[in-house]
Amino acid sequence: MNHNANVVTEQLTAAGRAIEHDSFAIIDAEAGPHAYSADQWPVVRRMIHANADFEFNGLTDFHPAAVEAGLAAILKGGTPIVADVEMICVGLSASRLKHFGITTHHFISDADVIAQAQAEDTTRAVQAMRKAHRQGLLDGAIVGIGNAPTALIEVVRLIKEEGARPALVIGMPVGFVSAAESKDLMAEVQDVPWIVIRGRKGGSTLVVAAIHALLGVAEARQRNAA
């Protein structure tokens, strides 16, 4: 392997690395000109790579400080990732997270979360985000939401009304009820950086792809600084 290349955030075999790099080259060629910065494009490209949908070239929107905030949180070490669903936590590479000392957290299936959602007639996703905030996990965290629009709407409320300050919110819930609206709400927030997909499209795999892209850029910075 090229010793000037990433190690932790790359595929583990030469064949796997070649396929991934060839895929990225194809995406670069087919995407053509775009409006993303050199720091933003690796995130969008990996999202396209995750499901072969070039519409994310355009639908993906960034707070001006999003990439730098995400990289700072990763390079700091020990940053929590708070997800709306277990699928995000399972989808993230354990070895890549371990390299940066990152922990993952999700509360959607916790008994107390379910009970509180039933008692208050809200969603489990809302209560899961409230639980994360009560535990002090949201401040300084990377928050990844790929499934539940109500979770993203609650994160916006927690930011505005209760002073929650995540390092970065990756808001990409998929769906037909409140999904587009939840992302538009997040994109109105100025005090907390965000990455969103406009409209109905989204999903946990795209949150995972965005985080993996940031981990890759973070490793390159870490290596170049060594």
Side-chain angles (χ1 to χ4, degrees):
M1 183 188 284
N2 179 356
H3 293 293
N4 293 319
N6 284 357
V7 177
V8 177
T9 56
E10 286 280 351
Q11 295 293 322
L12 297 178
T13 66
R17 289 191 294 274
I19 291 169
E20 188 166 85
H21 292 176
D22 287 350
S23 296
F24 288 159
I26 291 168
I27 293 167
D28 285 342
E30 292 193 17
H34 56 76
Y36 296 105
S37 70
D39 286 336
Q40 294 168 345
W41 179 244
V43 177
V44 178
R45 181 174 61 187
R46 190 169 280 276
M47 289 165 59
I48 294 170
H49 178 258
N51 63 3
D53 188 344
F54 279 89
E55 284 197 11
F56 295 115
N57 176 12
L59 289 180
T60 311
D61 205 357
F62 293 81
H63 181 285
V67 173
E68 285 303 321
L71 294 176
I74 292 167
L75 291 168
K76 182 178 71 172
T79 294
I81 291 175
V82 178
D84 62 333
V85 290
E86 185 178 10
M87 189 181 295
I88 291 171
C89 301
V90 172
L92 290 166
S93 165
S95 60
R96 298 177 198 187
L97 297 178
K98 182 179 179 182
H99 176 75
F100 294 103
I102 293 171
T103 56
T104 62
H105 308 267
H106 67 93
F107 303 108
I108 195 87
S109 298
D110 289 7
D112 58 333
V113 165
I114 296 169
Q116 198 68 23
Q118 291 171 336
E120 296 185 18
D121 195 24
T122 59
T123 68
R124 291 184 295 149
V126 166
Q127 296 299 335
M129 290 300 132
R130 290 178 184 173
K131 180 173 182 176
H133 185 51
R134 285 197 305 273
Q135 294 192 359
L137 281 170
L138 290 187
D139 290 346
I142 295 173
V143 178
I145 297 173
N147 187 74
T150 56
L152 187 55
I153 292 167
E154 181 62 17
V155 168
V156 172
R157 189 194 69 80
L158 289 167
I159 290 168
K160 290 182 175 179
E161 296 182 11
E162 299 192 27
R165 286 295 178 267
L168 174 66
V169 177
I170 301 176
M172 302 179 177
V174 60
F176 296 94
V177 178
S178 301
E181 293 85 348
S182 71
K183 291 174 273 190
D184 290 344
L185 278 174
M186 187 70 237
E188 292 173 2
V189 174
Q190 297 181 351
D191 297 340
V192 172
W194 42 262
I195 305 172
V196 301
I197 296 168
R198 299 288 189 166
R200 293 172 168 177
K201 291 189 176 186
S204 298
T205 54
L206 292 163
V207 175
V208 169
I211 293 172
H212 279 166
L214 292 171
L215 292 172
V217 176
E219 186 190 355
R221 287 206 181 177
Q222 196 175 57
R223 193 184 67 251
N224 292 334

